[in-house]
Amino acid sequence: MTDDRLILTQDRKLRLFTVFILYVCQGIPIGLFWFAIPAWMAAKGADAADVGYVLGFTALPWTLKLINGFIMDRYTFLAMGRRRIWLIGAQLVMIAMLLGCAIVQPEVTQIGLLAAAAFVVNSATTFQDVAVDGLAVDIMEEDERARASGMMFGGQAIGIAVSTALSGAIIAQFGASAAYLFTALLIGLATVYMAFVREREGERKLPWSAGTAHSRNTAIQAEAWWPILKSTFTSVFKPISLLWVPVLLSNGLQYGVLTGMTPLIGTGDVGWGEQEVTSTAGTASLVAGIIGLTFGGWFGDKFGAKRATITIISTYFLFSAAVWLSVDLWSDPVLFVGFVYCWMALNTLLTVVALPISMRLCDPTVAATQFTLYMATSNFGITIGAWLLGRSDGFGGIRSMLLVLCAAFTVAIILLLVVRYPRKSVAAEVAEELPQGDGVAPVVN
């Protein structure tokens, strides 16, 4: 394959495969720190407060993604494209920290070290995430959006699945240090891949390679903070945008709560070890990813983003209520497996079908930064969920968290029923009016 065939803007299949593989890469550290490490902690005797503490620091960087977006929109190395230098750099930081964890080998009682490691790795992961989202905004054509959404979040679920299942097995057999090394290896493979592709023709593969910045990127690169800040906050604080925030928070809240509940129920009520819990979670995440790749995109296109989102959230409400009512059966391994499979599938579907609404709300002039803010809002909900879980003993135990989810879902459903969210992307309308040149894809989101 020649270099000319490794240019993202010139190859539709390469674009879709690249965002897929990068989201798989993004799911790998998530699987480790959201599932494998908490399951290992729970199996070693850590309580809900300790697990929730580490999960809180795992989630915290995801609430700060807006800062990442501003930095990336303002500063980059255009000779390598707008996003690729950030992608490669973030993945190198992830690898370095994971290797450091393998050397230091923090114990389950060293909550501070585990929280610090989770925070640093996930901070780098969020930079990678924002860079991938920005890349998709920059290079994806309008008719690729729905398919790209399914591949992105389906790929993330598959990455989480592979990482969770294999990391859990490796921890059980060889210890946490080996799992850190394994995760670093997988991320390293994705980093090598990114060193061989380019965003646009004429750009450098690596900082020391030959090449120049593309004229399109030079023309749109922001040279000051104020225009970015002004456009972003003007768009975000529109009433329609603010009314979307509670829906995003409910999406994040369910993930933060149920991610922490999974190892606690699996090890506490069912009596499994960390390998059994992580294997179940990993397989469930794999199935959820496949559902997102196939059914999720079709369902959203068939019924529309708003109607599909209402359907999934309503199903999630009924599911949460059923789990709350069946507390006496939580020790049943079959029901536990069903619980894990159901919530992971619903989580992936909700993310896939709701994503187009976030995209449609974005101002095309600051689409990457505004989209990042919406994702950060959802991730802030994850932090809230993890924080509440860690303090659930003070108001009825982890079972009470299911009622919190039902309340959040109720608010989201009401908003979706009464608010007229946009049916077409403003970014797409503007892109149709802009001149295109040099084979550059429209800037849509």
Side-chain angles (χ1 to χ4, degrees), residues 335-348:
L335 289 180
F336 174 71
V337 171
F339 160 74
V340 176
Y341 273 72
C342 283
W343 86 254
M344 287 193 174
L346 287 170
N347 170 70
T348 300

Side-chain angles (χ1 to χ4, degrees), residues 211-295:
T212 59
H214 194 276
S215 58
R216 180 266 187 188
N217 290 342
T218 302
I220 68 171
Q221 180 63 25
E223 299 297 337
W225 287 104
W226 178 242
I228 298 175
L229 292 167
K230 181 180 178 181
S231 297
T232 299
F233 284 99
T234 297
S235 299
V236 166
F237 284 101
K238 289 180 179 178
I240 190 71
S241 181
L242 293 176
L243 289 170
W244 181 236
V245 167
V247 182
L248 294 172
L249 287 173
S250 70
N251 185 18
L253 188 70
Q254 56 83 19
Y255 189 84
V257 169
L258 296 178
T259 300
M261 285 183 65
T262 297
L264 291 172
I265 295 175
T267 60
D269 293 89
V270 182
W272 284 358
E274 70 266 26
Q275 184 172 3
E276 293 171 299
V277 174
T278 54
S279 176
T280 299
T283 306
S285 184
L286 177 61
V287 172
I290 294 172
I291 292 173
L293 280 169
T294 55
F295 177 74

Side-chain angles (χ1 to χ4, degrees), residues 22-23 25-26 29-30 58-76 82-94 118-136 156 187 194 199 225 368 372 375-376 379:
L22 288 173
Y23 259 80
C25 177
Q26 181 187 131
I30 294 175
T58 302
L60 183 59
W62 294 89
T63 69
L64 305 175
K65 286 170 57 177
L66 173 62
I67 298 174
N68 302 7
F70 279 125
I71 294 172
M72 289 182 186
D73 278 343
R74 178 66 181 86
Y75 300 108
T76 189
R82 296 190 73 203
R83 313 298 178 184
R84 208 162 59 87
I85 188 68
W86 284 104
L87 284 165
I88 294 173
Q91 290 173 187
L92 289 175
V93 172
M94 292 156 64
F119 179 81
V120 173
V121 172
N122 278 272
S123 293
T125 307
T126 61
F127 271 95
Q128 192 260 20
D129 174 52
V130 173
V132 178
D133 291 342
L135 182 68
Q156 184 189 69
I187 297 172
M194 286 308 300
E199 296 177 25
W225 287 104
T372 298
M375 296 301 98
N379 292 321

Side-chain angles (χ1 to χ4, degrees), residues 386-411:
W387 181 84
L388 289 174
L389 181 68
R391 288 150 183 79
S392 58
D393 288 341
F395 47 93
I398 62 173
R399 184 191 181 206
S400 64
M401 297 305 302
L402 295 165
L403 295 180
V404 174
L405 293 186
C406 287
F409 290 146
T410 300
V411 173

